[in-house]
Amino acid sequence: MARIAVALVLIVCFAAVGAIAYVYFMSFSPDRSRYPVRGIDVSNHQGAIDWQRVAADDVAFAIIKATEGGDFVDKSFARNLQGAQAAGLAVGAYHFFTFCRPGADQAANFLATVPRGRPLLPPVIDIEFVGNCDQRPPVDEVRAQVKAFLDPVEAAFGRAAIVYLIGEAADAYGIAVPERQRWVRSLAYHPGHEDWTYWQYHDKGRIAGIEGDVDLNVMQGDESAVKRILNPDS
């Protein structure tokens, strides 16, 4: 009976700790006095988005999936880009980099999809293993293909890209990716440094105008940082 009682106490304790951790995670938000500029990143997975409601819910910027690999275009990209900009958000586009297509093909896909000649946040290259193909090329090959993507994209937009490099891909290919501003992922706790432009701090956030979960981010700096990164020559 004593062992059963101890087991029950442990179960209750573990359940309580789990509940506290869950509540903390779901309610976590970075210190607003340090990071006042809030944003989201979205793709077709978020479905139809009411961007006016999003903008009214303390969202200042959005990073929108545009392309993946050499021929995939997110079918909600054009609609999301137009809606987010019409709602007054600062908007950027990201490309999901695949290890199974040449970087030049992927750059051509991105450039054919993302419009130029309008204010946009810097282009983003997303490099990760989750959702990627099974190939794991040598480091030198990845270095060459990432460069083959970045060179034409950065030339076309006239500015350096931002790199989102996470998880095992960062461990395997971190040395293959050139120095660029970074978009870091650190869920429910501070990244431990300030060497980033965007910090993705939640992957199950809730925002008005979006059904279901959405990634939440902050931008380094205050509201003036949005204007500087959106219009670097102004």
Side-chain angles (χ1 to χ4, degrees):
M1 292 297 294
R3 291 182 178 178
I4 294 175
V6 170
L8 289 174
V9 169
L10 290 174
I11 290 171
V12 170
C13 289
F14 284 133
V17 170
I20 292 171
Y22 176 79
V23 170
Y24 170 79
F25 174 76
M26 293 304 294
S27 62
F28 176 78
S29 182
D31 183 351
R32 186 167 299 277
S33 65
R34 292 180 64 186
Y35 311 112
V37 182
R38 307 283 153 145
I40 58 176
D41 60 273
V42 301
S43 71
N44 185 61
H45 292 298
Q46 271 67 51
I49 297 175
D50 185 335
W51 285 102
Q52 295 294 332
R53 292 182 64 202
V54 169
D57 195 18
D58 192 30
V59 174
F61 70 95
I63 313 298
I64 301 171
K65 183 174 183 178
T67 51
E68 179 175 333
D71 50 23
F72 178 86
V73 176
D74 189 286
K75 65 181 182 181
S76 295
F77 173 69
R79 181 178 70 240
N80 282 334
L81 178 65
Q82 180 180 10
Q85 289 191 316
L89 274 64
V91 181
Y94 79 87
H95 172 81
F96 187 90
F97 185 87
T98 175
F99 303 113
C100 296
R101 291 293 296 269
D105 292 353
Q106 300 188 57
N109 186 25
F110 186 78
L111 292 174
T113 303
V114 181
R116 295 180 289 286
R118 67 172 74 179
L120 288 175
L121 298 170
V124 173
I125 179 173
D126 175 359
I127 307 173
E128 55 186 295
F129 284 169
V130 176
N132 215 309
C133 65
D134 294 333
Q135 292 185 23
R136 298 293 179 262
V139 170
D140 287 345
E141 176 66 14
V142 172
R143 179 182 290 111
Q145 297 307 326
V146 169
K147 185 176 187 299
F149 175 85
L150 289 176
D151 283 355
V153 167
E154 293 180 334
F157 283 93
R159 59 196 313 189
I162 293 175
V163 173
Y164 180 82
L165 175 65
I166 64 169
E168 294 178 342
D171 297 334
Y173 295 129
I175 60 173
V177 178
E179 288 295 323
R180 294 292 188 276
Q181 297 179 66
R182 291 303 177 103
W183 180 1
V184 301
R185 174 181 170 91
S186 184
L187 303 182
Y189 59 93
H190 190 274
H193 60 86
E194 298 295 335
D195 188 21
W196 47 268
T197 300
Y198 307 131
W199 164 21
Q200 185 184 85
Y201 67 88
H202 215 310
D203 63 355
K204 297 185 185 302
R206 293 303 176 101
I207 292 292
I210 297 177
E211 293 292 332
D213 298 335
V214 64
D215 294 337
L216 304 180
N217 302 265
V218 290
M219 182 185 293
Q220 189 73 261
D222 58 16
E223 287 78 3
S224 64
V226 180
K227 296 179 181 178
R228 287 195 302 270
I229 195 171
L230 195 61
N231 301 288
D233 298 325
S234 62

